[in-house]
Amino acid sequence: MRVPWWPWGVLTVASLAILVFFVLYPLGVLFANSVVDESGALSLAGFARLMRDSQYVLAFRNTLLLGVTVTACALAIGVPFAYMVARYEFPLKNVVAILPVVTIVIPEIIVGQSWLLLLGNNGLLTNMLGSVGVELPSFYGWTGLIFSMTLVYYTYIYLGVLATLRGFDGALEEAGMSLGTSPLATKLRVLVPVILPAILVNALVVFTLVVGNFALAMLLGSRVPLLSVITYNTFVSEMGGNPMLQSAMSVINVAIVAIVLFVQKRVVERKIYTMTQGRAPAPVRVRSWAAGAFTGSVGFVILVSLLPLLIVFIGAFTRTSGPVMYWGEFSINNLQRALQGAPEPIINSLRFASLASIAGVCVAAIVSYLTIKKRSAFTHLLDYLIVLPLTISGTVLGIALVQTFNTGWLVLTGTSSIMVLAYAVRRLPFAVRSASSVLFNIPDSIEEASVSLGVSPLMSFFKVVLPAMKAALVAAAILMWVTTISELSASIVVYSGGLETMPIAIFRQVDSGRLGLASAYGATLVTTILVPIIVAVRFFNVKLFSVR
């Protein structure tokens, strides 16, 4: 498609320049630093040192093992859960079908903090059971990591498989059984091959999220060396020195995700089944004890996964004295200290998330329009650059930005600009994908009619296309807000004195044992996340998530 140089060609080049400078260039600097020694000569000494470091090799092995284990546990919960919701009718089904989506918007730092409030060394449940002689195993280490991450990530499996099951043509199963095949054999031969690509895609997504996880790994993995934690600790210890080692670690992290994505693409492409739209099988109503079992099993999973929301508010209103929490004793002292005594993290979070959301939505509106409506060789490259941050963990992105903008003509390190930049770059793909969703349904003829009436192409975009994108842009803004205000992994690398945000404050308070104050910041953080979502869904009729 031939794209006019003005204005779309200029906007495409400008968008490419922005993404190359703020996404591709920092990654290039990171990769270059990984093979350059203190004298400036090319060297693989950083990688060689890592291979000889038994602690790093252990962290590498632990990270892969954790990724595989959590993915398997998430599959064990998510796939049966999706099948039950798609194929059966049981009491409270409409409620339990949508509630798992809420777990996506709970910040991981809140999840880790809340489980420590319950099952930590001074946790509520730990103390209650300890008073009657029941000793729980330590929640720090493999137990806490696998348990908490499974409850965070099973929703990705559930949503992906549920969407596939609801798009499955039930006539295929009926045809199989009409030939005398048993229902179980029919499902294994017909249903499983169709939903297998969705299972593989979402399983690999979960694996990459676990590998790049920082918040839960840092809070709960003190006894288990993991790549994300070691990479961060190396970055902190090498501040101001030669960045070769931290760069080499970051490159290996990127390589793991890149290999997984490559395998995902190859495997899924070989297992794609094309299906014409058909009628999904009618859900089977279950009664008596089976109905109770269905509701109870899925209800228990949802209750446990949503428990952090409740616990963080209880902790915020619990009286504390240093690290000691007096459960059952009401107090607002923690909230007063957070809101009045030390409000800087709250103010910073609101400011940085607002600026990043505004910048992200503006870029997303233009980039999504260019990649969908004004396709060219340059927009294909633009599309690749947009998804590139998805392959980079927050810690690696933060390290790349600090190394790139620490010296030279544009110094951003130590300023609020690098916080906003880290937020915007990390979450821009979500905004672009959300904004793009509606453009496929906007006919080109509407814009062409505006141009034929004498309105310039650029003004037609503002007057015709943007109003039609309003709902999608509101959804993109909410998604940007929700994901940026809870960002920890990138922000904790790039922040400096005076730029502390709520997730960083929570992390520091938990690390210091002050769980009451951490809960106060956590309750404030959850409120600032949920209020915009409720307003968008209730008053703007924005469908941020849907399982229908």
Side-chain angles (χ1 to χ4, degrees):
M1 178 179 178
R2 185 178 178 84
V3 178
W5 176 249
W6 175 258
W8 311 124
V10 173
L11 286 174
T12 301
V13 172
S15 300
L16 276 173
I18 291 172
L19 290 176
V20 166
F21 187 70
F22 290 116
V23 178
L24 196 59
Y25 176 51
L27 280 180
V29 171
L30 183 72
F31 276 72
N33 287 338
S34 69
V35 293
V36 175
D37 61 19
E38 294 181 358
S39 65
L42 291 177
S43 172
L44 296 177
F47 294 99
R49 179 179 170 184
L50 292 179
M51 295 303 102
R52 295 193 301 267
D53 188 335
S54 60
Q55 185 76 356
Y56 182 81
V57 173
L58 178 61
F60 183 85
R61 185 167 66 244
N62 286 342
T63 300
L64 296 182
L65 178 59
L66 180 65
V68 171
T69 305
V70 172
T71 301
C73 293
L75 286 171
I77 295 176
V79 174
F81 195 167
Y83 187 82
M84 291 167 66
V85 170
R87 292 300 183 90
Y88 296 97
E89 286 287 348
F90 51 89
L92 302 178
K93 172 185 170 178
N94 292 335
V95 176
V96 300
I98 192 65
L99 279 179
V101 178
V102 180
T103 62
I104 293 178
V105 302
I106 305 176
E108 292 175 0
I109 189 72
I110 300 294
V111 174
Q113 171 203 348
S114 298
W115 286 117
L116 288 179
L117 285 170
L118 270 180
L119 299 171
N121 294 336
N122 190 37
L124 174 61
L125 193 56
T126 303
N127 291 335
M128 288 177 58
L129 294 178
S131 64
V132 294
V134 178
E135 295 293 332
L136 293 177
S138 174
F139 197 68
Y140 293 93
W142 287 105
T143 302
L145 288 169
I146 295 172
F147 179 80
S148 59
M149 287 187 182
T150 298
L151 291 177
V152 169
Y153 295 131
Y154 83 89
T155 305
Y156 293 87
I157 305 290
Y158 163 72
L159 292 177
V161 176
L162 179 61
T164 303
L165 286 170
R166 283 183 164 158
F168 179 78
D169 189 351
L172 295 177
E173 281 188 84
E174 296 172 0
M177 288 186 288
S178 69
L179 297 175
T181 307
S182 67
L184 178 60
T186 300
K187 285 180 172 57
L188 293 176
R189 296 178 182 177
V190 178
L191 179 62
V192 171
V194 173
I195 67 172
L196 189 58
I199 294 175
L200 291 174
V201 166
N202 291 282
L204 290 172
V205 167
V206 169
F207 180 85
T208 58
L209 290 173
V210 174
V211 168
N213 184 281
F214 175 79
L216 293 174
M218 198 72 176
L219 288 181
L220 305 176
S222 58
R223 302 179 182 179
V224 181
L226 296 170
L227 285 182
S228 58
V229 177
I230 287 187
T231 303
Y232 170 75
N233 290 336
T234 303
F235 166 78
V236 173
S237 65
E238 288 186 342
M239 284 289 287
N242 181 29
M244 173 183 277
L245 196 59
Q246 59 182 268
S247 301
M249 286 185 179
S250 300
V251 169
I252 292 176
N253 287 347
V254 173
I256 292 174
V257 177
I259 292 171
V260 170
L261 292 177
F262 175 78
V263 172
Q264 177 194 62
K265 187 175 185 297
R266 294 298 299 271
V267 171
V268 171
E269 282 179 349
R270 293 180 180 181
K271 294 183 177 294
I272 289 179
Y273 292 82
T274 302
M275 182 181 301
T276 57
Q277 185 64 36
R279 175 179 56 85
V284 178
R285 181 173 294 278
V286 291
R287 303 181 184 278
S288 135
W289 65 269
F294 274 53
T295 303
S297 59
V298 297
F300 175 77
V301 172
I302 292 171
L303 177 64
V304 174
S305 58
L306 292 180
L307 201 56
L309 272 180
L310 176 63
I311 295 301
V312 73
F313 281 94
I314 294 176
F317 290 96
T318 297
R319 186 173 74 86
T320 61
S321 177
V324 180
M325 301 194 68
Y326 298 92
W327 296 104
E329 298 186 25
F330 176 84
S331 174
I332 61 171
N333 288 340
N334 292 319
L335 284 171
Q336 285 180 332
R337 290 174 61 192
L339 297 175
Q340 298 177 4
E344 291 81 8
I346 301 172
I347 296 172
N348 287 338
S349 289
L350 297 174
R351 182 160 59 97
F352 299 154
S354 298
L355 292 173
S357 297
I358 293 171
V361 171
C362 290
V363 173
I366 296 173
V367 169
S368 61
Y369 177 78
L370 293 173
T371 54
I372 301 300
K373 294 296 188 180
K374 305 297 177 183
R375 295 178 182 175
S376 66
F378 290 107
T379 59
H380 285 301
L381 178 58
L382 188 62
D383 201 22
Y384 282 120
L385 288 178
I386 280 294
V387 300
L388 189 58
L390 292 177
T391 66
I392 312 167
S393 68
T395 307
V396 172
L397 176 63
I399 292 173
L401 292 177
V402 169
Q403 290 184 4
T404 304
F405 301 110
N406 196 35
T407 58
W409 65 273
L410 182 61
V411 177
L412 300 179
T413 304
T415 70
S416 58
S417 297
I418 199 169
M419 297 289 289
V420 176
L421 178 61
Y423 282 174
V425 169
R426 181 145 166 75
R427 302 305 180 181
L428 184 59
F430 295 97
V432 172
R433 289 296 174 259
S434 179
S436 300
S437 61
V438 74
L439 285 170
F440 293 101
N441 300 323
I442 299 177
D444 296 338
S445 57
I446 297 178
E447 188 178 359
E448 292 168 358
S450 175
V451 174
S452 68
L453 294 174
V455 182
S456 68
L458 192 59
M459 291 305 298
S460 296
F461 169 75
F462 283 105
K463 292 184 176 181
V464 176
V465 179
L466 273 186
M469 296 175 64
K470 182 176 69 173
L473 292 178
V474 171
I478 297 299
L479 287 174
M480 281 287 292
W481 172 269
V482 167
T483 53
T484 55
I485 202 169
S486 61
E487 171 64 37
L488 175 66
S489 57
S491 59
I492 199 170
V493 173
V494 302
Y495 97 103
S496 55
L499 302 178
E500 190 179 57
T501 60
M502 281 190 282
I504 297 174
I506 294 170
F507 172 76
R508 292 181 61 185
Q509 298 302 326
V510 171
D511 192 50
S512 302
R514 294 188 289 267
L515 294 179
L517 186 55
S519 298
Y521 283 120
T524 306
L525 178 60
V526 170
T527 302
T528 57
I529 289 173
L530 293 181
V531 168
I533 293 177
I534 294 171
V535 170
V537 173
R538 178 67 179 84
F539 297 102
F540 292 96
N541 198 29
V542 175
K543 296 181 179 179
L544 291 174
F545 311 103
S546 176
V547 294
R548 294 290 181 183

